[in-house]
Amino acid sequence: MPVDTKRVRGPEVSQSPSLFLCKTAAKKSLAQKDTRVDGRQRGQVDVRSVFVRCGLISQAKGSAYIEAGNTKLICCVYGPREMDRKDETDMKSGRLMTDMRFAPFSCRERGSWIQGNDEKDLSLMLLESLRPGVCLQKYPRSQIEVNVMVLENDGSVLAHAVTCASMALADAGIEMYDLVLGCSVRQESGTYLIDPTYLEENGCNLASGSGENLGSLTVAFLPSLNQISGLQSDGEMGEDILTGGVRTCIDGCFKLYPVVQQSLTKAVRRKAPPSES
Amino acid sequence: MATVQVSEAEKVYILHGVRDDLRVDGRGCDDYRHMEIETDVVSNTDGSAKVSLGHTDVLVGVKAEIGKPKPCVPDEGYLEFFVDCSANATPEFEGRGGDELGVELSNTLYKVFRNQCSLDLKNLCISPGEHCWVLYVDVLLLQCDGNLFDAISVAIKAALFNTKIPKVHLSENEEGGKEIELSDDPYDCMRLNVENVPCIVTLCKVGYRHVVDATLLEKACSVASLIISVTHKGMITCVRKVGGGSLDPESIFEMTETGKRVGKALHVPLMELLQKEESLGKKRPKVGFLG
């Protein structure tokens, strides 16, 4: 593990007090209710309402901020810039570089500033989800950098990062085939929870015990082209449950599409010079 | 991953062949290359296996050590994966070149095993909250000819089957603290139940069809692949889309079905083979690395 010499951390043996909390009471209350903690329904395409705004950061070519429930993410896009290494064999198309980081105060337990393996994995999945949507052949010998910072993690972080990054790319004027929207779903035995919160993502496997068909699924989707650009799942599910989950995520993305389009048009209007009349 | 340059004419040739269910080396779209598995190749490990799939060679070593369990699950042991892309495999892996691929492979392995059913982790607990067995699974890529995920998952299953964890028992010492004692008999050990360990199937989309176990040439003609890990019951533990292209939802459903069918069919002969090799005992001919 790389050692962080720039910051003073607590003693090595320090642990977060949340580990010692009594978990049994919370588990039971989660499992018994028909509705979820924030009032949404199980088994229905009920995504959290989303607040999106583009063009927040003046230094970046394009930027976007997204808030879904308590999950808050911010994304900046820089580019197209000249490529760092000029010895790339494939000079015909540009390169997309993604970087996803969590602020140390974003999760329940304090994280580290150094990028761990989880963050590298999420950055790679973000890259794979965004690449099909961007017209990289129009930017030969250039690189476009996308940096996502998670300010508060309350579940389905990768899905919202994909949406936020594609809005920032559109705000930067990068040519794209279509917006890439992300949606995630948490499968439980018999029902599904769309757009899960952090507690629902992590606490549920303890509550339902050794139930079958327990897992999470994240899908990145291009709505007008009807193409899936990113798919990631873990846990253990049957094939039909997985297929149903993918269809649910696609429905969730369609629900999100008009909101994202509206906020992009508002951002363009704000940027446009005021009309003469 | 190691890449080959493919001309347009070669791409068209491969695409037309796949469309008619005939690949360059004569296989059908759902066929694997010749696979050779040998366990117990490295004597310093607690379990090891070497798998050759065509020209891809993978060596897995499992070492069991006693460590502290994770704070959120005090009554379970855990596994740690590390994949090393050796510079022997291709010149691209020289120095830090293979690190990115290694991190991607190990992260996928963590996801594949992140569920309740693959391995019984409660068996690995020695004393809750204080001691547990940690299995360090180290994967070494010796030769790279496409389809790394499949070869690695088969090798991990074989190595875990071969793993012998020594039996320990706890005793109280004078001050009242716990002491761990290993039994004197080197053959007195615990084996793992690898029935539910999943196998990974990689499906590459070539043209309008998808192929299992793609060679490097076929990979260069495909825009996207789907990695599915399937248990012997047909349950899917991890799905991931890799590559820079996008897939139609209908293609994904077809590929999932094929992956589940192929994966399920892989488990039964694998377990039979491993048990047959085990039953040969000391008399089996050792092939090692020169065969």
Side-chain angles (χ1 to χ4, degrees):
Chain A
M1 274 287 287
V3 173
D4 186 1
T5 51
K6 287 183 258 185
R7 288 172 183 85
V8 178
R9 301 198 62 173
E12 283 293 323
V13 295
S14 65
Q15 288 176 328
S16 162
S18 58
L19 292 167
F20 300 94
L21 276 177
C22 179
K23 288 200 190 104
T24 44
K27 274 191 273 175
K28 279 195 199 126
S29 61
L30 269 175
Q32 278 162 7
K33 284 200 196 122
D34 277 326
T35 55
R36 298 151 74 171
V37 178
D38 49 7
R40 291 184 286 159
Q41 295 293 328
R42 288 170 186 260
Q44 279 183 30
V45 184
D46 207 350
V47 292
R48 285 181 282 195
S49 40
V50 148
F51 168 79
V52 277
R53 177 69 66 92
C54 295
L56 288 168
I57 296 175
S58 51
Q59 297 283 41
K61 187 94 189 295
S63 57
Y65 172 73
I66 195 169
E67 227 181 81
N70 278 331
T71 301
K72 301 173 177 72
L73 292 117
I74 195 163
C75 175
C76 306
V77 167
Y78 294 91
R81 277 186 185 167
E82 206 177 318
M83 221 182 247
D84 283 342
R85 295 179 316 196
K86 297 233 170 82
D87 53 4
E88 290 286 320
T89 42
D90 186 19
M91 284 279 139
K92 289 190 226 124
S93 70
R95 209 162 75 144
L96 189 65
M97 293 174 55
T98 56
D99 189 37
M100 182 153 166
R101 284 178 197 257
F102 284 78
F105 42 77
S106 57
C107 304
R108 304 236 145 178
E109 276 91 39
R110 185 182 179 275
S112 128
W113 275 112
I114 296 179
Q115 214 182 25
N117 278 340
D118 274 346
E119 287 171 336
K120 284 199 189 119
D121 194 34
L122 286 169
S123 308
L124 184 64
M125 283 194 279
L126 185 64
L127 174 67
E128 283 172 356
S129 305
L130 289 174
R131 205 139 47 119
V134 180
C135 304
L136 283 172
Q137 70 277 10
K138 301 235 170 164
Y139 301 98
R141 288 193 289 271
S142 324
Q143 71 184 23
I144 300 169
E145 285 166 20
V146 177
N147 300 316
V148 177
M149 172 68 88
V150 179
L151 299 171
E152 192 176 336
N153 176 7
D154 194 26
S156 24
V157 151
L158 180 61
H160 293 303
V162 167
T163 313
C164 191
S166 62
M167 287 189 62
L169 281 165
D171 187 48
I174 307 279
E175 289 193 44
M176 293 171 75
Y177 292 112
D178 190 10
L179 281 173
V180 188
L181 299 176
C183 189
S184 67
V185 80
R186 169 94 192 159
Q187 280 300 344
E188 285 190 329
S189 42
T191 179
Y192 61 81
L193 303 164
I194 200 168
D195 200 7
T197 61
Y198 187 80
L199 270 176
E200 287 169 347
E201 264 179 2
N202 298 322
C204 278
N205 54 346
L206 300 166
S208 352
S210 55
E212 291 245 310
N213 288 324
L214 209 61
S216 338
L217 174 65
T218 305
V219 170
F221 187 61
L222 286 92
S224 2
L225 300 173
N226 196 32
Q227 295 273 301
I228 291 182
S229 66
L231 175 63
Q232 195 253 138
S233 92
D234 59 26
E236 199 199 7
M237 293 185 268
E239 185 213 336
D240 40 352
I241 308 282
L242 184 73
T243 314
V246 172
R247 290 210 169 93
T248 311
C249 286
I250 291 179
D251 287 336
C253 288
F254 274 120
K255 277 208 166 178
L256 212 52
Y257 201 31
V259 178
V260 170
Q261 280 179 319
Q262 259 184 16
S263 112
L264 264 178
T265 39
K266 271 195 209 158
V268 168
R269 283 209 192 98
R270 253 182 280 123
K271 270 190 186 170
S275 52
E276 294 301 300
S277 59
Chain B
M1 194 141 0
T3 45
V4 287
Q5 306 279 42
V6 175
S7 69
E8 285 302 316
E10 270 183 299
K11 261 192 206 170
V12 169
Y13 179 67
I14 292 176
L15 266 135
H16 284 176
V18 167
R19 199 181 54 192
D20 298 329
D21 199 21
L22 190 63
R23 292 156 75 171
V24 173
D25 46 9
R27 290 183 282 157
C29 284
D30 290 348
D31 295 335
Y32 270 96
R33 286 172 285 183
H34 176 70
M35 200 187 297
E36 283 181 11
I37 307 172
E38 192 184 349
T39 58
D40 208 17
V41 279
V42 182
S43 54
N44 277 335
T45 57
D46 294 308
S48 59
K50 178 175 173 295
V51 166
S52 325
L53 179 61
H55 284 297
T56 301
D57 271 337
V58 169
L59 174 64
V60 172
V62 178
K63 283 190 93 71
E65 293 188 5
I66 297 182
K68 206 162 185 298
K70 297 206 167 129
C72 32
V73 270
D75 57 347
E76 286 180 3
Y78 56 97
L79 285 98
E80 293 273 359
F81 294 97
F82 181 72
V83 179
D84 184 34
C85 303
S86 155
N88 295 330
T90 67
E92 289 172 4
F93 292 163
E94 202 181 9
R96 308 297 301 269
D99 276 359
E100 256 186 50
L101 180 62
V103 166
E104 189 191 334
L105 289 165
S106 14
N107 280 330
T108 310
L109 289 172
Y110 275 117
K111 274 211 197 77
V112 166
F113 282 84
R114 192 186 297 161
N115 54 58
Q116 315 278 42
C117 317
S118 297
L119 260 191
D120 191 4
L121 296 173
K122 294 202 168 23
N123 255 348
L124 298 175
C125 176
I126 302 173
S127 88
E130 289 171 6
H131 299 108
C132 70
W133 284 111
V134 182
L135 295 177
Y136 290 99
V137 180
D138 297 302
V139 180
L140 186 62
L141 290 183
L142 300 168
Q143 256 196 81
C144 184
D145 188 30
N147 208 17
L148 293 171
F149 281 104
D150 299 32
I152 289 175
S153 71
V154 170
I156 289 181
K157 185 161 181 163
L160 286 172
F161 177 81
N162 180 241
T163 302
K164 299 178 174 62
I165 301 179
K167 283 207 180 125
V168 290
H169 61 270
L170 292 167
S171 58
E172 299 262 329
N173 65 10
E174 302 86 48
E175 289 103 49
K178 294 206 177 117
E179 242 183 41
I180 299 181
E181 280 174 17
L182 240 62
S183 61
D184 286 332
D185 181 9
Y187 292 104
D188 180 21
C189 47
M190 174 171 84
R191 301 294 290 269
L192 295 167
N193 180 7
V194 294
E195 281 263 317
N196 281 326
V197 170
C199 274
I200 300 179
V201 180
T202 308
L203 295 131
C204 284
K205 185 120 207 284
V206 179
Y208 288 115
R209 294 191 63 161
H210 47 269
V211 295
V212 171
D213 192 16
T215 59
L216 285 177
L217 263 177
E218 286 163 345
K219 192 109 201 285
C221 301
S222 86
V223 286
S225 330
L226 201 69
I227 291 171
I228 301 183
S229 90
V230 188
T231 63
H232 76 287
K233 285 189 203 144
M235 298 295 274
I236 299 175
T237 66
C238 172
V239 180
R240 238 190 95 155
K241 175 235 148 206
V242 287
S246 61
L247 291 166
D248 213 68
E250 292 304 321
S251 308
I252 289 193
F253 300 150
E254 275 173 25
M255 285 159 94
T256 316
E257 211 190 291
T258 310
K260 178 181 153 189
R261 189 173 26 99
V262 171
K264 234 171 135 176
L266 186 57
H267 282 275
V268 173
L270 178 63
M271 284 309 287
E272 277 175 13
L273 195 68
L274 288 172
Q275 271 151 4
K276 205 167 92 171
E277 196 196 12
E278 174 93 9
S279 65
L280 286 174
K282 295 239 189 275
K283 288 176 272 163
R284 71 174 171 145
K286 291 210 172 200
V287 176
F289 294 87
L290 300 173

